[in-house]
Amino acid sequence: MIIRIKDVSMKFNLGIEKDFSIKQAFINLFSRKKKDKHKDDFWALKDVNFEVKRGEVIGLIGSNGAGKSTLLKVVSGVMKPTTGKVEVNGVISPMIELGAGFDGNLTAKENIYLNGSILGYSKKFLDEKFNEIVDFSELRDFLDVPVKNFSSGMTAKLAFSIATIVNPEILIVDEILSVGDLKFQEKSKRKMMEMIKGGTTVLYVSHSMQSIEDLCTKVIWLEHGKVIKMGDTKKICKEYYDSQMGK
Amino acid sequence: MSKAKNILFNFKRYWFLMTQLISRDFKVKYKRSVLGVLWSLLNPILMMAVMAVVFSQMFKFKVEGINYLVYLMTGLIMWNYFAQASNMAMSSVVENFTLINKVYIPKYIFPIAKCLFIGIDFCLTLIPWLGIIALSYVGLGEYTCHFNINYIVLPYIFICMFLFTCGIGLLISCLSVFLRDVFHIYGIALTLWNYLTPIFYSIEILPKKLQFLMQFNPMYQFIDSARLIVLYNKMPSLATLGIIGAIAVVTLLIGSFVFKKKQDMFIYYV
């Protein structure tokens, strides 16, 4: 087992988002109504259980706000689950949001090193792979341009190239294969296929049923933080599609 | 033992990230400026010149028996390090929320990187500072300062100040995540602390009660020890050096402890 998710629940307190202020505190002091402390609790994940074997490609589907991204964050260690246990036995390369580590003021070249270091690569590794990254991104002519002047497609291309330069044991992908122009989309898809063939375990979130069916060996259907169904890709994709279309 | 090993391993693993964050700060700071990194040197020189004119010429401040210019500058560069570094460390976690929210990175890296970044600036200010001391030989200021063997203790004092600043930085960067008011409060607190620390005046002019309280002002302890060496050619007592070290380590431990305890909660307060 490379990933083991056991009874994982994730609670958010929506009350935190409400503005706490002196005025509000003053009003609360005199209001008679006892506040229900659990009213603001929101369970983004509730008792999620599953295991992933080495080399499996897991697709996560579900409507917006179903908890897919939260689940990825829990697996990658960005968030600690409120209850339950997450076991991960391998190096993770998270591609939750491409280019999150870019600094717009720095050039593409500088950002390759910055973003690479954020993803945990060593300097030696980046020196060796620098040309490979640049070639894959097709941005050699723009190496000395600050990234803030890049189009969103160019930024995404660069970020994808940096993130996929390693052969991670676990790859976490949140809706990114739709970046760049047509040519780059094909290229990135091929790259993904290559990694999967190489034995990389993938957690893949997408709303495109086509790409889920193309890539995944198993699908988990999430709704309101709970696992509705999991198993065979074709079958569950069809059921999900039917339920979404109101059949 | 294994825990210590683990911390060391983590530090090594993320050291490259640390250097990248620091070099990013440098690049962004000097982007599109003609003189570039030279400003790190020029800035303290000009600042020193202004302060020297304001305090020794306009306000006619002096401290009996010693070179006032060196007295002022020693306090000033040390205080400025602390004020700038802790201030930048404070906002570093909140500023990097987009990153913290996306990728797993040990969060303590951000405040520590800021303390190191300003630390490099501090090392550069030491050059003009030593320059002023050297110039006192040829008559800058009324009294001459002498380079002496006790200077070997200065790095120890500066490192203690650095650790102390890291501790404070960790503490307030953590606090500011939960309570953004800290941004405003700390600015005021720093100003108050600044004036309560004998930087441009002598501790002698304070009332006796406040003089006693200065014993509990860590920044004064650091600055005073450095001045003892530079202005009086004396070695601080072992007790003082011990106290300084203890202040640094304890502050760092408290800061790390609070930060470690609370860091998993950060994500909810984005």
Side-chain angles (χ1 to χ4, degrees):
Chain A
M1 286 307 144
I2 193 158
I3 301 172
R4 181 175 283 142
I5 304 289
K6 205 162 178 279
D7 302 324
V8 164
S9 297
M10 187 80 203
K11 181 176 80 177
F12 287 101
N13 187 350
L14 298 179
I16 288 173
E17 292 301 325
K18 286 189 193 132
D19 273 336
F20 172 81
S21 65
I22 294 189
K23 186 180 142 206
Q24 195 57 46
F26 196 70
I27 293 169
N28 289 345
L29 204 63
F30 291 100
S31 77
R32 281 159 171 273
K33 257 193 289 177
K34 276 272 174 288
K35 267 212 308 185
D36 183 5
K37 269 200 166 166
H38 299 287
K39 189 181 69 183
D40 290 331
D41 288 352
F42 170 75
W43 293 88
L45 293 174
K46 190 88 186 147
D47 302 323
V48 175
N49 278 293
F50 67 87
E51 290 177 344
V52 181
K53 289 196 199 77
R54 206 167 276 274
E56 273 186 320
V57 180
I58 308 288
L60 291 168
I61 54 174
S63 43
N64 292 131
K68 302 180 300 281
S69 295
T70 307
L71 185 57
L72 293 191
K73 282 183 184 176
V74 168
V75 172
S76 64
V78 170
M79 289 180 176
K80 282 243 165 75
T82 315
T83 58
K85 244 180 116 178
V86 178
E87 255 179 67
V88 177
N89 305 306
V91 180
I92 297 184
S93 176
M95 280 201 270
I96 288 175
E97 194 162 314
L98 287 176
F102 282 164
D103 189 307
N105 283 313
L106 299 184
T107 65
K109 190 177 168 186
E110 289 162 344
N111 265 310
I112 289 178
Y113 279 89
L114 177 64
N115 204 350
S117 69
I118 287 167
L119 295 176
Y121 307 165
S122 70
K123 172 151 174 37
K124 197 170 146 250
F125 178 82
L126 280 167
D127 285 338
E128 280 168 16
K129 299 281 186 177
F130 184 78
N131 277 319
E132 207 177 309
I133 294 171
V134 175
D135 287 340
F136 193 87
S137 68
E138 306 165 347
L139 292 169
R140 190 167 283 283
D141 297 339
F142 303 97
L143 272 185
D144 295 316
V145 177
V147 166
K148 66 178 171 198
N149 298 336
F150 276 21
S151 71
S152 54
M154 285 159 82
T155 314
K157 274 158 92 169
L158 185 63
F160 184 90
S161 311
I162 300 170
T164 53
I165 198 68
V166 279
N167 275 322
E169 290 172 272
I170 304 162
L171 186 65
I172 291 184
V173 186
D174 193 351
E175 201 77 74
I176 52 157
L177 285 187
S178 49
V179 302
D181 42 35
L182 267 179
K183 193 173 134 216
F184 194 79
Q185 277 181 31
E186 272 311 303
K187 206 164 126 184
S188 53
K189 204 163 180 177
R190 267 207 311 280
K191 176 90 188 176
M192 285 276 296
M193 287 295 213
E194 226 174 79
M195 292 172 99
I196 291 166
K197 273 203 195 104
T200 302
T201 310
V202 183
L203 288 185
Y204 181 46
V205 166
S206 179
H207 287 290
S208 148
M209 285 301 118
Q210 189 58 47
S211 66
I212 292 261
E213 281 184 32
D214 285 351
L215 291 169
C216 300
T217 56
K218 195 175 159 188
V219 165
I220 296 172
W221 176 7
L222 280 173
E223 216 61 69
H224 300 298
K226 290 184 186 130
V227 176
I228 302 284
K229 269 180 181 141
M230 86 178 104
D232 180 64
T233 308
K234 275 248 164 60
K235 192 173 140 245
I236 290 183
C237 277
K238 170 131 192 8
E239 279 179 41
Y240 173 69
Y241 185 81
D242 289 348
S243 83
Q244 290 286 299
M245 291 301 141
K247 277 182 200 165
Chain B
M1 193 57 209
S2 72
K3 209 169 179 186
K5 223 177 189 175
N6 213 352
I7 291 174
L8 223 66
F9 171 76
N10 249 318
F11 211 74
K12 218 175 134 190
R13 185 168 159 210
Y14 289 103
W15 180 248
F16 177 51
L17 173 59
M18 189 89 89
T19 58
Q20 283 298 309
L21 288 175
I22 294 170
S23 86
R24 167 183 71 172
D25 284 342
F26 258 99
K27 282 169 191 155
V28 171
K29 188 172 173 188
Y30 295 117
K31 215 177 160 301
R32 283 182 201 274
S33 75
V34 180
L35 293 177
V37 187
L38 218 58
W39 274 117
S40 271
L41 217 57
L42 216 55
N43 206 27
I45 294 176
L46 294 176
M47 178 201 74
M48 282 180 186
V50 172
M51 294 308 240
V53 169
V54 169
F55 286 111
S56 59
Q57 301 302 315
M58 283 165 65
F59 290 139
K60 305 274 186 218
F61 270 75
K62 58 171 70 159
V63 180
E64 269 329 300
I66 49 169
N67 189 316
Y68 178 70
L69 198 58
V70 175
Y71 179 89
L72 173 67
M73 288 316 152
T74 310
L76 214 54
I77 59 167
M78 291 176 77
W79 174 262
N80 278 354
Y81 168 73
F82 171 73
Q84 270 186 44
S86 61
N87 218 349
M88 286 183 85
M90 171 175 65
S91 47
S92 64
V93 172
V94 174
E95 265 169 16
N96 285 294
F97 257 152
T98 42
L99 211 56
I100 290 170
N101 201 10
K102 304 279 154 53
V103 193
Y104 172 77
I105 309 173
K107 297 161 195 65
Y108 66 84
I109 279 204
F110 298 110
I112 303 291
K114 291 291 182 199
C115 291
L116 281 170
F117 167 57
I118 304 294
I120 296 172
D121 254 11
F122 174 75
C123 290
L124 287 171
T125 57
L126 289 181
I127 299 171
W129 178 66
L130 289 171
I132 288 181
I133 296 174
L135 282 176
S136 77
Y137 280 99
V138 292
L140 185 74
E142 289 167 52
Y143 301 90
T144 309
C145 296
H146 297 278
F147 290 111
N148 57 72
I149 181 76
N150 297 326
Y151 274 52
I152 50 171
V153 188
L154 281 176
Y156 170 78
I157 296 171
F158 293 155
I159 288 170
C160 286
M161 181 178 72
F162 167 71
L163 296 179
F164 172 75
T165 310
C166 287
I168 297 283
L170 285 168
L171 198 66
I172 52 177
S173 65
C174 178
L175 229 80
S176 69
V177 172
F178 302 103
L179 201 67
R180 301 293 152 89
D181 308 52
V182 171
F183 286 140
H184 307 283
I185 297 169
Y186 190 63
I188 304 292
L190 262 184
T191 313
L192 184 66
W193 194 347
N194 186 0
Y195 285 111
L196 278 179
T197 308
I199 292 168
F200 51 83
Y201 57 85
S202 158
I203 190 168
E204 307 291 328
I205 68 165
L206 289 177
K208 272 274 175 290
K209 255 190 197 152
L210 264 178
Q211 276 191 36
F212 172 73
L213 278 178
M214 278 306 134
Q215 302 300 318
F216 303 100
N217 179 350
M219 280 317 288
Y220 178 68
Q221 294 296 326
F222 297 133
I223 294 173
D224 195 44
S225 312
R227 279 176 178 159
L228 203 62
I229 295 170
V230 177
L231 294 160
Y232 298 96
N233 308 331
K234 276 189 205 143
M235 179 74 114
S237 69
L238 275 181
T240 311
L241 291 178
I243 288 171
I244 290 177
I247 290 172
V249 172
V250 169
T251 312
L252 184 62
L253 283 179
I254 293 174
S256 317
F257 180 75
V258 172
F259 197 87
K260 193 164 184 278
K261 263 264 147 94
K262 293 288 172 196
Q263 62 178 352
D264 291 335
M265 298 284 290
F266 287 0
I267 202 92
Y268 302 111
Y269 290 83
V270 168

